[in-house]
Amino acid sequence: MVLQTGPHRARDPRAVPPLDGGEEHIPTHGPAILASNHLSFSDSILLPLMCPRRITFPAKSDYFTQPGLVGRLKAAFFRGTGQIPIDRSGGAASQVAMDAGLAVLQRGELFGIYPEGTRSPDGRLYKGKTGIARLALKAGVPVVPVAMIDTDKAQPTGQKIPTIMRVGVRVGPALDFSRYADRADDREVLRDITDQIMAALAELSGQEYVDEYAATIKQQLAAKAETFVAAAKAEGAAAQARAERVVATARAEGAAAQAKAQARAEELMSAARTEVEHRRRRRPDAGDAAAPPDTGSPADAGGEDVEGPRPEQSS
C-alpha cells in the first residue's frame, strides 16, 4: 500500500521510534530513491513515519481496479493521496507506473520502492528487479538503501493489526550510479546496478540473500499448496469411498446374517411343528383309553351262543 508523508517537517521523537542508524544519509533536499527490503505490509507506513521528508510509495495496482462501490472509493482515496499504482505483471503496464515515479523524482521529491517487487515469503532477501536501476539512471538520482528490521515479526502476512514490539529502520550511504547515465538501456548494466543495491540491503538488514525472484518462490509455494490441497481432497474422497464400502459391506453382512437367522428360525419352527404333529398322532384317543380290554366273548364266534356239554342229572 502506498502512503505519503506530509511536507518537510520536524519529527517528534516521542511519537515515532527513531531510526536505528543512518538518518544522515537521507537527503535533506532534492530527489532520491529510497530502496527498501520488504518484509511486511507495515513497511510502507513505518518508513514514512520515521522519515523527516515526504515519501511517495507505489501501491499494488489491484487496489485501483477492485469492482463495486467500495473498490471505486478505495481507488479514489489512493489517487487523492498521490499514490502510484504498480502492475506487478511487468511489461508496458509497469512502465506507466515507473514513468509516474519519474515524475515524482523530477519534482525533487523522494520516491520509495521495493526492488524485490513483493513481500518476502520467508524473511530472506530476494533478487531485485531492474526497474529501480532504469529509474535511477533516467532520473539521474542517487539510491539510498533502507533496511526494515523485524517488521515481519510485528505484522506477519495475514495479520491485520501489528503486534506492539520494537522494530527498526537502518539507512545506508547513498549509491551513485551517474557513471552509467548513458547506459540506461543496457541490460547487463541494469542487472549489475540492481545487484549492487541488493548487496547493500543485505549488508544493512543481515538477511540471507536468495538469487531468485520472490514472486517466483511465491508461485512455487502456491503451486505446492494447491497440490497439497488437491492431494488432501483426493485422500479425503478416497477415505470417504473406503468408509462407504465398509458401511455397504457391513449392511450386506447384516442383511445376510438377518436372512440366515430368519431362515434358521423358520427351520426350527418347522421342526417344532413336525414334532408336535408326530406326537399327536402317536397319542391314543380319549374314547379308546376308556374301553375295557378285549376278553374274547362268545359273541365273537359267529354271533351265536354255543352251549358246552351239560352235566348229567340224576334220576
Side-chain angles (χ1 to χ4, degrees):
M1 173 172 153
V2 174
L3 292 179
Q4 291 184 335
T5 63
H8 183 81
R9 68 198 185 286
R11 189 184 65 228
D12 182 355
R14 297 170 299 177
V16 181
L19 293 169
D20 278 4
E23 186 174 3
E24 69 277 8
H25 298 307
I26 298 177
T28 57
H29 62 277
I33 296 174
L34 271 59
S36 174
N37 61 336
H38 198 10
L39 297 173
S40 171
F41 174 82
S42 59
D43 293 341
S44 298
I45 300 174
L46 184 62
L47 180 55
L49 288 175
M50 290 185 171
C51 184
R53 290 185 60 190
R54 172 191 176 106
I55 307 175
T56 298
F57 270 88
K60 187 168 63 174
S61 61
D62 295 353
Y63 295 148
F64 295 82
T65 58
Q66 293 176 357
L69 177 60
V70 174
R72 291 194 296 272
L73 292 174
K74 186 180 294 185
F77 169 77
F78 288 147
R79 291 192 181 95
T81 54
Q83 301 178 32
I84 300 174
I86 289 291
D87 188 339
R88 295 182 179 179
S89 62
S94 293
Q95 185 58 47
V96 172
M98 296 305 287
D99 289 343
L102 180 61
V104 171
L105 295 169
Q106 289 174 341
R107 293 197 300 267
E109 300 176 5
L110 298 178
F111 183 67
I113 192 170
Y114 302 113
E116 294 169 279
T118 186
R119 280 174 286 185
S120 171
D122 54 15
R124 296 185 293 176
L125 185 68
Y126 283 84
K127 187 175 183 178
K129 296 186 176 182
T130 58
I132 186 173
R134 183 177 288 107
L135 181 61
L137 295 184
K138 285 189 175 182
V141 300
V143 178
V144 180
V146 179
M148 310 304 296
I149 308 298
D150 291 338
T151 54
D152 55 332
K153 297 177 182 178
Q155 188 179 20
T157 300
Q159 180 175 319
K160 294 183 179 181
I161 301 176
T163 302
I164 302 301
M165 61 173 290
R166 179 177 175 79
V167 296
V169 180
R170 294 175 190 157
V171 183
L175 304 175
D176 181 12
F177 301 109
S178 58
R179 61 189 181 279
Y180 300 115
D182 59 345
R183 302 178 65 181
D185 295 323
D186 188 324
R187 292 186 178 182
E188 292 185 2
V189 169
L190 297 177
R191 182 74 263 164
D192 180 62
I193 291 174
T194 304
D195 289 344
Q196 289 184 52
I197 295 170
M198 302 312 293
L201 285 175
E203 183 177 357
L204 276 176
S205 67
Q207 291 172 277
E208 176 188 349
Y209 178 74
V210 181
D211 194 27
E212 292 186 72
Y213 292 114
T216 301
I217 300 299
K218 284 186 174 182
Q219 290 173 355
Q220 293 173 355
L221 292 174
K224 289 181 180 179
E226 290 177 358
T227 301
F228 177 79
V229 170
K233 288 182 178 179
E235 179 61 25
Q240 183 177 358
R242 289 195 297 269
E244 290 176 353
R245 287 196 298 270
V246 170
V247 171
T249 301
R251 287 177 177 174
E253 291 177 351
Q258 183 178 1
K260 184 177 180 180
Q262 183 174 358
R264 179 59 178 164
E266 291 177 353
E267 180 182 348
L268 292 174
M269 291 178 65
S270 176
R273 285 194 295 268
T274 301
E275 179 66 18
V276 169
E277 181 65 20
H278 179 69
R279 290 184 179 183
R280 188 186 67 79
R281 290 178 179 177
R282 289 177 58 187
R283 187 175 58 191
D285 294 338
D288 292 342
D294 186 4
T295 57
S297 63
D300 291 339
E304 296 179 359
D305 293 336
V306 179
E307 296 183 0
R310 298 179 176 178
E312 292 182 2
Q313 299 179 352
S314 60
S315 53

